[in-house]
Short mmCIF file of all heavy atoms in Angstrom, two decimals:
data_model
loop_
_atom_site.label_atom_id
_atom_site.label_comp_id
_atom_site.label_asym_id
_atom_site.label_seq_id
_atom_site.Cartn_x
_atom_site.Cartn_y
_atom_site.Cartn_z
N ALA Y 423 -105.08 89.27 37.63
CA ALA Y 423 -105.07 89.02 39.08
C ALA Y 423 -106.42 88.43 39.47
O ALA Y 423 -107.47 89.05 39.27
CB ALA Y 423 -104.83 90.32 39.83
N ASP Y 464 -100.72 97.66 39.34
CA ASP Y 464 -100.50 98.23 38.02
C ASP Y 464 -99.72 97.30 37.09
O ASP Y 464 -99.58 97.59 35.90
CB ASP Y 464 -99.81 99.59 38.11
CG ASP Y 464 -98.45 99.52 38.80
OD1 ASP Y 464 -98.06 98.43 39.27
OD2 ASP Y 464 -97.78 100.58 38.87
N ASP Y 467 -103.02 93.52 33.79
CA ASP Y 467 -103.92 94.11 32.81
C ASP Y 467 -105.35 94.16 33.32
O ASP Y 467 -106.13 95.04 32.93
CB ASP Y 467 -103.89 93.30 31.50
CG ASP Y 467 -102.50 93.26 30.90
OD1 ASP Y 467 -102.00 94.33 30.52
OD2 ASP Y 467 -101.93 92.16 30.81
N TYR Y 477 -114.88 91.06 52.85
CA TYR Y 477 -115.06 92.51 52.70
C TYR Y 477 -116.11 93.12 53.62
O TYR Y 477 -115.96 94.28 54.04
CB TYR Y 477 -115.36 92.87 51.23
CG TYR Y 477 -116.76 92.59 50.78
CD1 TYR Y 477 -117.79 93.49 51.03
CD2 TYR Y 477 -117.08 91.42 50.09
CE1 TYR Y 477 -119.08 93.23 50.62
CE2 TYR Y 477 -118.37 91.16 49.68
CZ TYR Y 477 -119.37 92.06 49.94
OH TYR Y 477 -120.65 91.81 49.55
N MET Y 503 -120.42 99.28 39.79
CA MET Y 503 -121.28 98.11 39.80
C MET Y 503 -121.14 97.33 41.11
O MET Y 503 -122.13 96.88 41.71
CB MET Y 503 -120.93 97.21 38.61
CG MET Y 503 -121.88 96.05 38.38
SD MET Y 503 -121.32 94.97 37.01
CE MET Y 503 -121.41 96.09 35.60
N TRP Y 557 -132.47 82.67 60.66
CA TRP Y 557 -133.93 82.59 60.53
C TRP Y 557 -134.54 82.38 61.91
O TRP Y 557 -133.88 81.91 62.84
CB TRP Y 557 -134.35 81.50 59.56
CG TRP Y 557 -134.14 80.08 60.01
CD1 TRP Y 557 -133.03 79.32 59.82
CD2 TRP Y 557 -135.08 79.25 60.72
NE1 TRP Y 557 -133.20 78.06 60.36
CE2 TRP Y 557 -134.45 78.00 60.92
CE3 TRP Y 557 -136.38 79.44 61.21
CZ2 TRP Y 557 -135.08 76.93 61.58
CZ3 TRP Y 557 -137.00 78.39 61.87
CH2 TRP Y 557 -136.36 77.16 62.04
N PRO Y 584 -139.73 87.20 54.80
CA PRO Y 584 -140.38 85.95 55.18
C PRO Y 584 -139.57 84.77 54.67
O PRO Y 584 -138.94 84.84 53.61
CB PRO Y 584 -141.74 86.03 54.47
CG PRO Y 584 -141.50 86.93 53.32
CD PRO Y 584 -140.48 87.94 53.77
N LEU Y 586 -139.75 81.87 52.77
CA LEU Y 586 -140.70 81.30 51.83
C LEU Y 586 -140.75 79.78 51.96
O LEU Y 586 -139.72 79.13 52.20
CB LEU Y 586 -140.33 81.71 50.41
CG LEU Y 586 -140.32 83.22 50.14
CD1 LEU Y 586 -139.77 83.51 48.76
CD2 LEU Y 586 -141.72 83.80 50.30
N SER Y 609 -128.42 74.06 42.00
CA SER Y 609 -129.39 74.04 43.09
C SER Y 609 -128.60 74.12 44.39
O SER Y 609 -127.64 73.35 44.59
CB SER Y 609 -130.23 72.77 43.04
OG SER Y 609 -131.09 72.70 44.17
N ALA Y 617 -131.85 81.33 64.84
CA ALA Y 617 -131.58 82.16 66.02
C ALA Y 617 -130.12 82.09 66.44
O ALA Y 617 -129.79 82.17 67.62
CB ALA Y 617 -132.49 81.75 67.17
N GLU Y 621 -120.35 81.30 62.10
CA GLU Y 621 -119.07 81.67 62.67
C GLU Y 621 -117.95 81.64 61.64
O GLU Y 621 -116.93 82.32 61.81
CB GLU Y 621 -118.73 80.71 63.83
CG GLU Y 621 -119.75 80.71 64.96
CD GLU Y 621 -119.81 82.05 65.69
OE1 GLU Y 621 -118.81 82.80 65.64
OE2 GLU Y 621 -120.83 82.34 66.33
N GLU Y 626 -122.33 76.78 55.53
CA GLU Y 626 -122.21 75.51 54.82
C GLU Y 626 -123.31 75.39 53.76
O GLU Y 626 -124.46 75.77 54.00
CB GLU Y 626 -122.31 74.35 55.80
CG GLU Y 626 -122.14 72.98 55.17
CD GLU Y 626 -122.25 71.86 56.18
OE1 GLU Y 626 -122.23 72.14 57.40
OE2 GLU Y 626 -122.36 70.68 55.75
N THR Y 628 -124.96 72.88 50.37
CA THR Y 628 -125.02 71.66 49.59
C THR Y 628 -125.46 72.04 48.19
O THR Y 628 -126.54 72.61 48.00
CB THR Y 628 -126.03 70.65 50.19
OG1 THR Y 628 -125.63 70.35 51.54
CG2 THR Y 628 -126.05 69.36 49.38
N ILE Y 639 -134.78 81.64 33.90
CA ILE Y 639 -133.78 82.34 33.09
C ILE Y 639 -134.29 83.74 32.73
O ILE Y 639 -133.55 84.73 32.79
CB ILE Y 639 -133.41 81.54 31.83
CG1 ILE Y 639 -132.75 80.21 32.23
CG2 ILE Y 639 -132.49 82.34 30.93
CD1 ILE Y 639 -132.52 79.26 31.07
N ALA Y 642 -134.11 86.06 35.83
CA ALA Y 642 -132.73 86.41 36.13
C ALA Y 642 -132.16 87.34 35.07
O ALA Y 642 -131.41 88.28 35.38
CB ALA Y 642 -131.88 85.14 36.25
N VAL Y 646 -130.19 91.05 35.27
CA VAL Y 646 -128.91 91.34 34.63
C VAL Y 646 -129.06 92.49 33.64
O VAL Y 646 -128.17 93.35 33.52
CB VAL Y 646 -128.36 90.08 33.95
CG1 VAL Y 646 -127.11 90.39 33.13
CG2 VAL Y 646 -128.04 89.01 34.99
N VAL Y 673 -136.30 87.05 42.68
CA VAL Y 673 -134.89 87.27 42.97
C VAL Y 673 -134.67 87.37 44.47
O VAL Y 673 -135.32 88.16 45.16
CB VAL Y 673 -134.38 88.54 42.28
CG1 VAL Y 673 -132.95 88.86 42.69
CG2 VAL Y 673 -134.48 88.40 40.76
N GLU Y 675 -131.11 87.44 45.56
CA GLU Y 675 -129.93 88.29 45.55
C GLU Y 675 -129.37 88.38 44.14
O GLU Y 675 -129.57 87.47 43.32
CB GLU Y 675 -128.83 87.73 46.48
CG GLU Y 675 -129.19 87.76 47.95
CD GLU Y 675 -128.02 87.34 48.84
OE1 GLU Y 675 -126.92 87.08 48.30
OE2 GLU Y 675 -128.21 87.28 50.06
N ALA Y 693 -116.17 76.41 32.22
CA ALA Y 693 -114.89 76.99 32.61
C ALA Y 693 -114.24 77.71 31.44
O ALA Y 693 -113.66 78.80 31.61
CB ALA Y 693 -113.96 75.91 33.16
#
Side-chain angles (χ1 to χ4, degrees):
D464 60 357
D467 300 296
Y477 77 83
M503 189 184 296
W557 71 271
L586 300 172
S609 175
E621 300 294 338
E626 182 181 348
T628 301
I639 297 172
V646 173
V673 174
E675 294 186 2

